[in-house]
Amino acid sequence: MSALSTVVRALNRWRREPSLSRSFAVLSLLLGTLFAVVNPPLGVNDEFRHWSRAFELSDGRMTARGPGYGFVQAHVVPAGYGEYIKRYEPLWYQPKQRVKLRVLAHDLASPASEQQRIHIKGGAGGYNFVPYVPAICGIWLARLLCLPFLWHLYLARLASVVFCSLLSALAVRQSGRFQWTLALVGLMPMVLTQIGGVSADGVTTALGLVFFALLAKGLQSRGELTRRDELQLLVIAVLMSLCKPIYVLNALAIPAMGLSGDAAARKRSGRLGLLALAFGAAAAICWATVNRSAQSIYVFSPETQIAWMKSHPFSLIAVAWRTVVYKGSGWVIQLVGVRDTMAGQARLIVIGAVVLYLVLLVIVSRGVLRSVHQSSVWRGLSVGVLVGTFVATGGAAALAMYLYFNPVGARSVSGIQGRYFHPEFPALLLAASFYGRPVLARWLLKDNGKRVLVAVVLLNLACASATVGRYYVSPKVEWPY
């Protein structure tokens, strides 16, 4: 009873005291649920692949099926999964397709039978269980209650919203003066779309927020983190590398927090960064070895691409330039606002919401950690480390896409999407926090930041309206998304 009374007192204190982490958790849960509902089945990026992989994992199949069954990579799922994938997958790549509410209601009430299993085309076989923990729990609950197959998807979505919202709220709570920046990153419409879907991106992004919250905490304490915080950083680095190996490079940012301290702090943070990089890389390599039977779904040869790159070294500069110039604006829209297939169709509502959201992010970030560095030299080095980490992580992702997803000698990199930058995006905002004065931010954040939170809600509703227009309004109606 004493333990129960302690929990009750803690909950009452949390309810009474004004707290950004509390407001964030509530908004993330509500807005994440909104996006989980308005996005149609399989309407989140690559959701049909991740849904199939999550079911396999919930069924106890830890490693993916390799080649066979007519596919480069196959997932084993109930026959009903295959029927719904054929029905709803065309929604996201055929612009004139719309959700038929009568059919959706029928599918939500149709009984499910798992007796017949089929092999379907894979694509998420390289992932382990870490990014799918909430989705697996949702599917387990749906299977326990013998619910129709579409409820497997929706309960997996809702479980992801709860898990990622609480994890992100933890990040906001422990990030000190950087909390408003992380809160706004966690409430970006595209982040909420991903946590409100069955995907590997939602959990990865939430882990990224915790990672940079600890990094911001270390910066504010001039590299003097507790042993517990250092252990958390190491664990987060390993978990992020297990979600997507490329994000182990975020560990390159860890030494930045020791640059504002003494020589011992710099040495300690540098050693911590090396440990995080080593442990994360080791975890990713171990999983790749265990799951080596899973074949890439991409048809291009990385060996041939590497040979072309060696023979045309200066062409890579032109490839990088064309990629950023021609596709950079689309990445920004996908980073903040809407999914990849809608970015090219975005009009007044989404573009306006994205621009205003970025302005808010810059305002609440600029200058909040200005007092951390007394020396402009150390400040410049910290900014260099943070920006370099962002560039290294993004560049490594682009290189991987160029090797595996692009024909030999492609003039630009195809396949990169804005959501890939979510886990390292706070590095840029941390760099911005060292410069300027937060005068406008202080005015916006008066009264516990009600102005900012209202703006965030309105901008999210604007992007949600674009989703409604795309999937539910007749294509004959001119919808300003």
Side-chain angles (χ1 to χ4, degrees):
M1 290 299 292
S2 60
L4 180 61
S5 61
T6 301
V7 171
V8 171
R9 284 197 300 271
L11 288 174
N12 287 333
R13 186 169 60 253
W14 179 80
R15 181 174 55 84
R16 289 194 303 268
E17 296 175 356
S19 165
L20 176 59
S21 61
R22 183 185 65 184
S23 301
F24 171 87
V26 172
L27 283 179
S28 183
L29 288 168
L30 292 176
L31 293 172
T33 301
L34 171 66
F35 281 100
V37 172
V38 300
N39 275 299
L42 313 181
V44 180
N45 297 286
D46 297 330
E47 193 170 32
F48 72 97
R49 295 190 178 103
H50 294 291
W51 187 35
S52 302
R53 180 61 178 146
F55 180 87
E56 270 196 331
L57 290 165
S58 76
D59 218 24
R61 294 186 180 89
M62 292 295 107
T63 57
R65 300 295 177 112
Y69 314 102
F71 305 112
V72 176
Q73 186 187 107
H75 293 316
V76 182
V77 297
Y81 270 50
E83 294 174 7
Y84 291 135
I85 288 172
K86 289 179 181 178
R87 184 174 302 166
Y88 290 103
E89 183 192 354
L91 281 171
W92 65 269
Y93 63 80
Q94 295 182 10
K96 298 298 183 182
Q97 288 283 333
R98 294 295 185 269
V99 177
K100 296 179 175 63
L101 294 178
R102 178 178 55 81
V103 175
L104 178 60
H106 175 270
D107 292 340
L108 287 170
S110 299
S113 173
E114 297 187 19
Q115 293 183 354
Q116 183 182 359
R117 299 294 172 89
I118 61 172
H119 298 85
I120 64 171
K121 182 179 180 180
Y127 293 101
N128 56 67
F129 69 92
V130 174
Y132 297 114
V133 167
I136 292 170
C137 293
I139 291 174
W140 275 343
L141 178 60
R143 295 175 73 180
L144 179 65
L145 299 176
C146 300
L147 295 176
F149 286 131
L150 272 193
W151 283 105
H152 291 204
L153 179 71
Y154 280 106
L155 286 184
R157 285 180 171 186
L158 294 176
S160 177
V161 169
V162 173
F163 180 87
C164 294
S165 295
L166 296 179
L167 188 60
S168 301
L170 173 65
V172 171
R173 183 175 182 179
Q174 60 186 354
S175 55
R177 284 176 284 166
F178 198 61
Q179 61 177 346
W180 274 101
T181 299
L182 288 186
L184 262 64
V185 172
L187 292 173
M188 287 195 304
M190 195 62 227
V191 170
L192 293 169
T193 296
Q194 292 304 131
I195 73 170
V198 180
S199 158
D201 295 300
V203 171
T204 309
T205 300
L207 289 171
L209 290 178
V210 178
F211 178 88
F212 281 102
L214 292 168
L215 189 60
K217 184 178 181 180
L219 282 165
Q220 292 168 77
S221 63
R222 303 186 185 278
E224 296 297 327
L225 283 178
T226 65
R227 291 294 183 184
R228 179 179 177 181
D229 290 334
E230 292 179 347
L231 180 60
Q232 283 188 59
L233 262 177
L234 289 176
V235 171
I236 295 297
V238 170
L239 291 177
M240 290 184 72
S241 68
L242 287 173
C243 290
K244 294 191 175 185
I246 204 72
Y247 296 121
V248 71
L249 294 179
N250 276 344
L252 295 173
I254 293 177
M257 68 183 184
L259 296 178
S260 58
D262 55 18
R266 290 193 288 273
K267 183 178 179 180
R268 187 176 177 183
S269 62
R271 184 171 61 247
L272 182 62
L274 288 175
L275 286 174
L277 196 63
F279 287 163
I285 292 170
C286 287
W287 169 249
T289 303
V290 170
N291 198 37
R292 59 186 177 275
S293 63
Q295 301 291 311
S296 170
I297 63 171
Y298 305 134
V299 297
F300 301 106
S301 169
E303 293 80 12
T304 308
Q305 189 75 283
I306 291 172
W308 180 87
M309 291 164 62
K310 288 180 178 179
S311 61
H312 301 80
F314 296 105
S315 296
L316 295 179
I317 299 175
V319 169
W321 173 258
R322 281 191 292 265
T323 301
V324 173
V325 170
Y326 296 144
K327 300 181 180 181
S329 60
W331 294 347
V332 173
I333 294 173
Q334 297 163 19
L335 172 79
V336 179
V338 293
R339 60 162 299 168
D340 55 325
T341 55
M342 291 173 62
Q345 306 163 348
R347 288 186 243 171
L348 181 61
I349 287 181
V350 169
I351 292 175
V354 168
V355 170
L356 289 174
Y357 210 104
L358 288 175
V359 170
L360 274 179
L361 273 171
V362 171
I363 289 174
V364 301
S365 302
R366 193 166 174 264
V368 295
L369 300 184
R370 187 171 181 268
S371 61
V372 166
H373 289 286
Q374 302 301 323
S375 167
S376 59
V377 174
W378 291 116
R379 183 185 301 124
L381 286 174
S382 293
V383 169
V385 170
L386 292 168
V387 174
T389 299
F390 178 85
V391 172
T393 308
L399 178 61
M401 296 302 293
Y402 195 62
L403 293 178
Y404 287 93
F405 195 68
N406 287 259
V408 176
R411 291 171 56 82
S412 63
V413 184
S414 298
I416 302 176
Q417 293 155 20
R419 72 182 192 275
Y420 295 168
F421 300 101
H422 284 158
E424 73 262 23
F425 183 48
L428 286 183
L429 300 172
L430 261 176
S433 71
F434 295 140
Y435 295 99
R437 296 181 182 277
V439 178
L440 184 55
R442 292 193 187 104
W443 177 79
L444 281 174
L445 298 178
K446 284 182 179 179
D447 300 323
N448 298 320
K450 290 180 181 178
R451 297 181 181 89
V452 173
L453 295 178
V454 169
V456 165
V457 171
L458 293 177
L459 294 174
N460 270 284
L461 292 178
C463 289
S465 75
T467 303
V468 171
R470 166 61 181 86
Y471 291 115
Y472 298 94
V473 176
S474 170
K476 297 180 182 179
V477 177
E478 187 72 12
W479 193 259
Y481 67 86

